[in-house]
Structure formats: structure tokens, C-alpha cells
Amino acid sequence: MTRTPARGAAQLLRDTGQTLPHIPPSAHPTPPPSRGERINRPWAPRRGRSRPGHGWSPVAAPMTVYQATTSEIGGLFPLLAANGIPAVGARIGYDTLSGSAFYAHPVDWVLRGLTTNPNLVVFGEPGRGKSSTVVAFLLRMMLFGTKTLISGDVKGEYSPLLRALGISPIALGRGLSTRLNALDLGPIATRWDSWSAQRQRDELDALLARWVKLLVALAEAQGYAPTVTDEAVLAQVLRRLLGTTDGASRLRPVTIPDVQRELADPDEQLWRETRFADRRQFLDTLRPITDALANLITGPLSGLFDEPTNFDLDWQAPIQSMDLSRLRGRGDQAVAVALTCLGSWSSMITDLQDDGEIRIVVRDEVWRQMRLGSKAVQAVDSDLRLSRAEQKIQILVGHKPSDFLSVGSAGSQEVAIAKDLLALCSTRILFGQSTRVADELAGDFALSTKESEVTTGWCMERTGRALWKLENSPGYKVQTVLSRVEQNAFDTNAHLRGNGGETR
Ligand SMILES: Nc1ncnc2c1ncn2[C@@H]1O[C@H](COP(=O)(O)OP(=O)(O)O)[C@@H](O)[C@H]1O
Ligand SMILES: [Mg+2]
């Protein structure tokens, strides 16, 4: 097929019986366009002029300025209203309806009454750009000092991003010599010396309560529900091990084997302090919790959580992540324990954080955590409910709503809690879906027929397209725009290209 050459503007006008207006040579600021050159050129490059004060933008700007005659332009809508979302927070991309930039700041949305909570849920088929949009959001929120925790990175996708930012992610498992002490002091260790004696006492009480809670959760992960007596004894053992009962001002590191040893072989002082008649009674009463802790030291979890932490954990970093990709071989229990420890530190950081500090917590591939059982679901549930009070933006990323139901059998209490999780996320970001899943989404999120069609049609046409629904507002059709740096730092297809991607 032969292609007819494109008509120039002058030819176009001549064909419609008109001529280009004649401008005297003296009025020409620039030489007239040479033959074949387009006259309706953009006035500014897509990203603005790369000079200070000229509005350069790292991503291609959605607005482009064109010049053309009115006889060429069929229609112009200069006063098209932008979406009602304020230009505050992370600039994600553009709203395709108005062409204006689209910004996301879930905490600001709550303050303006657009939503009732700052939580986001992201759904879409694999490869549609969910994780990339989350990354764009958290990187751009970093400019406002917001810190992020990737709470369980199943595929290890976020690790290259962290390394690009000069941060080592928390990674455990196959081929790694890293050890993570479940009873790590976490963010407290670096601050301890700067506190007054009174503050140290207060923080110590909070720390003991947290550790007891953590040990209880770890025992529950093995199928044993600890009693109040177990908890009281654990608190006493931890206090002795930390060295605070004998007046030491420095905290001694404590590991799970230390606790287990004290329980399995108590000295007279311990069983008397905890009001047992004799050593035998102590051992018999505490046998189940002692054995539950022993399981963390031997068996598939051995060598992961039972030794002092041997790598530098930076709690001040703008982003921290728990890479679970190498734990897969150790089974669900190892993942559950790792996430329980992380959850415990995360709440420790929250307690220590200054007012006004916002944090983002990302749970990508959320089905993985739902599968871990009722404790994991309850942890997500309480995090979502507390997000407003704790100034956290909780982000759940999954394929479809029924991912949440892998927690248990239909009609069980866990499934009921899991179903409610959706209602606890005011903002829903819906990427491309197949028609089958779209029906499920339409039901769960009360989508209109038009909105449902957007998720199965428009969103499927390009990666990074999503329907953003803030509470019950009409959905916004938003295209995420990634910068080249972001694309290189977070390329989840790297392993498919075989260039040494770190995800496998
Ligand atoms: N907005 C976008 N523009 C261009 N490429 C994108 C965009 N979003 C995602 N991609 C590319 O698509 C691939 C899959 O994206 P990813 O975020 O991992 O999808 P998901 O999390 O939905 O499985 C990545 O290689 C990423 O670089
Ligand atoms: Mg993903």
C-alpha cells in the first residue's frame, strides 16, 4: 500500500479554499517554517525547559501547549473542569478525563472529608502496574518526609529499589547468613542512652509488654494458646534476662533460646518469685509454652530468629522492607514468625514516632498473609482500624477481593473479618481485570456499569491505568506516569529478560 505524504498546513488550507495569512517579513520574529515542517509544534518540551525557575518536571507533563489556527481546530474546551482532588501530596500521573495532573494524599483526603480513612486497597491482574503505582506513590511521598515499611515482600521485588536508595532490606533464608533476633531491641537500642531514667523505666515496661505479646503470638503460631500464668512468668524471665531486676542501666541482648533455657531449667529464685510451690510444679505448668518456644529453635525455623541480629537494621531509613522471597522453602510458619516480629517492631516505631509523622505500610500480594491464619488477619484488621489514630497509610495490594477469603472456610469467623477489611479501605484503586473478576468487584464496591466497563476495557489497554475510587465518589480514570529512574529501580520484569533480576 502506498502512503500519501502528509499535507502541510498551507496545503490543507488551500484544499479547503483558504490561504495562510500573509505576515510582512519585518513582523516575523522567527524564520517561516521550511517546507514539510509542522507549524503546530509544541511551545515547550513535554517536561518544561530544563532550567531553574522554568518549571521542569521529572515526568512528562500532561499539559502541552499547541498553536494552531481556529480553522484547523474543530473544538476547544479550555474551561474543562479538573477533577475535584486537590493538588496535594504525591503526583501520580494524570486524570485522562480532564487531562490535569492527579495527586494522592490519603491523609489530606480524610482531613478534607473526601474519605473516612487513609487506607488504600489496590486490585488488578498480575502485571497491570499495581506495585509500580504503589512505588511511585511512596517515593513521591518521601519528599514530604513520609517513611514506608514494606510489610512482607513475597517476591523480593522491592529489594533492588531499597538498594538503589542505599538501604539494606531485611532478608532471611536460603543462601543468607543473616540472623534476626525475634527479641531485637529494634528502634529502642539507638535511643536508649539519650533517655532520662524515668523515660527508660516507662519504655522498659512498654518493651516487656510488647515482648510478652510477641512470644504469645509466636506460641499461638505453633497452635498453643498461652495462659495468664505463662504471660506473668515470661515477663519475669524477660526482666531478669534484660538485667533490669539487678539495677543494670544497660540492656542486655536477649534471645529466644535464653528465655527457653530459663523456663526449662529454672533456678530457685525464679520459681519462688513466680509463686510456685516447687520446681516440679513450675516445670509442669510451663511445659507447653517451653516446648512451643523450643520449636522456634529447632525444626524448620532453626537459625533464623534465635540468635542475635547480625546485620545493620536501619530504623531511620525512609523505607524498610522484609524480603520473604528466600523464606518460601521454610514454609508458612517461618513467614508468619517473620511478619509477627516485623509487626511488633512496626508498632514499637509508631509508639516512638513524633506527632505529625506519617507512615506508609504496604502489604503487597496480600493473599500470602491471609493464608497464614486468623492471627494474621486480625493483625491486618487492627492495623486498618488504627490507621487514623496512628497516622499510617495502610496499603493492601491483591489480585481480586476473593484473595481475602483464602483465610478459612466459608462462614468462618476469619472469613467474616476478612470480608470487612475491604470496608476499612476508603480508597480503592482498580487496575485492569478480566470480566469474571469485574463482576465480583462491581458487587463488592458498588461499581456502576460504566465503571465496571472501565476496569475491563480502558484499564486493560495500557499498564499503569486504573480507576481510582474515593469512597463513593465517581471513579477517576488515572494513568500512572513513571520516570525512567523509577522504571529502572523497580522493574518487576527484569528476571524475565534474564538480566540478573533479583526476584528469583
Ligand atoms: N505506569 C507505567 N508505565 C510504564 N510501565 C509500567 C507502568 N506500570 C508498570 N509498568 C511496568 O509493567 C511491569 C509490571 O508492573 P508491576 O507494577 O510489577 O505490576 P503488578 O504489580 O500489577 O503485577 C513492570 O515491569 C513495570 O515496569
Ligand atoms: Mg506486583
Side-chain angles (χ1 to χ4, degrees), residues 417-437:
I417 299 176
K419 271 189 175 154
D420 278 352
L421 295 181
L422 289 184
L424 295 171
C425 299
S426 278
T427 303
R428 292 84 191 254
I429 308 169
L430 308 176
F431 283 79
Q433 291 286 7
S434 68
T435 328
R436 189 176 47 82
V437 177

Side-chain angles (χ1 to χ4, degrees), residues 125-132 463-464 479-480 482 487 491-493:
E125 277 188 346
R128 299 252 63 100
K130 301 181 295 295
S131 309
S132 304
T463 39
Q479 166 77 55
T480 302
L482 301 177
Q487 257 175 4
D491 183 1
T492 53
N493 287 340

Side-chain angles (χ1 to χ4, degrees), residues 4-221:
T4 41
R7 286 181 293 176
Q11 184 61 45
L12 195 71
L13 287 177
R14 267 199 301 280
D15 290 351
T16 54
Q18 296 167 66
T19 48
L20 271 176
H22 176 74
I23 302 172
S26 60
H28 259 300
T30 47
S34 57
R35 265 173 63 88
E37 196 181 341
R38 290 173 57 198
I39 63 162
N40 55 344
R41 283 171 298 174
W43 272 22
R46 289 274 294 163
R47 295 169 186 218
R49 295 187 207 289
S50 180
R51 253 178 293 153
H54 282 70
W56 184 81
S57 137
V59 292
M63 299 264 272
T64 312
V65 182
Y66 287 100
Q67 185 187 30
T69 64
T70 45
S71 54
E72 276 188 284
I73 295 174
L76 193 64
F77 302 95
L79 301 178
L80 193 66
N83 61 59
I85 307 294
V88 179
R91 184 169 154 177
I92 298 293
Y94 54 93
D95 172 355
T96 47
L97 186 65
S98 65
S100 61
F102 186 86
Y103 292 78
H105 196 317
V107 173
D108 184 71
W109 292 345
V110 174
L111 295 176
R112 288 175 196 253
L114 292 170
T115 55
T116 46
N117 63 57
N119 305 326
L120 315 180
V121 63
V122 187
F123 284 128
E125 277 188 346
R128 299 252 63 100
K130 301 181 295 295
S131 309
S132 304
T133 295
V134 168
V135 164
F137 171 66
L138 60 89
L139 285 178
R140 294 165 197 182
M141 284 301 281
M142 251 177 223
L143 298 175
F144 305 99
T146 304
K147 291 181 180 164
T148 301
L149 179 71
I150 310 294
S151 187
D153 177 9
V154 178
K155 301 190 207 153
E157 287 175 343
Y158 293 82
S159 295
L161 175 76
L162 264 81
R163 294 205 188 92
L165 291 166
I167 303 158
S168 344
I170 308 170
L172 293 171
R174 183 168 44 84
L176 297 172
S177 58
T178 37
R179 298 284 173 269
L180 188 60
N181 180 7
L183 301 179
D184 195 283
L185 288 167
I188 285 193
T190 46
R191 306 198 191 189
W192 184 257
D193 288 333
S194 65
W195 286 335
S196 66
Q198 177 62 39
R199 175 92 197 256
Q200 287 184 346
R201 264 197 302 281
D202 291 346
E203 293 294 346
L204 187 69
D205 287 341
L207 178 72
L208 282 172
R210 210 177 285 292
W211 275 359
V212 169
K213 226 171 105 192
L214 176 63
L215 291 174
V216 165
L218 295 181
E220 280 175 347

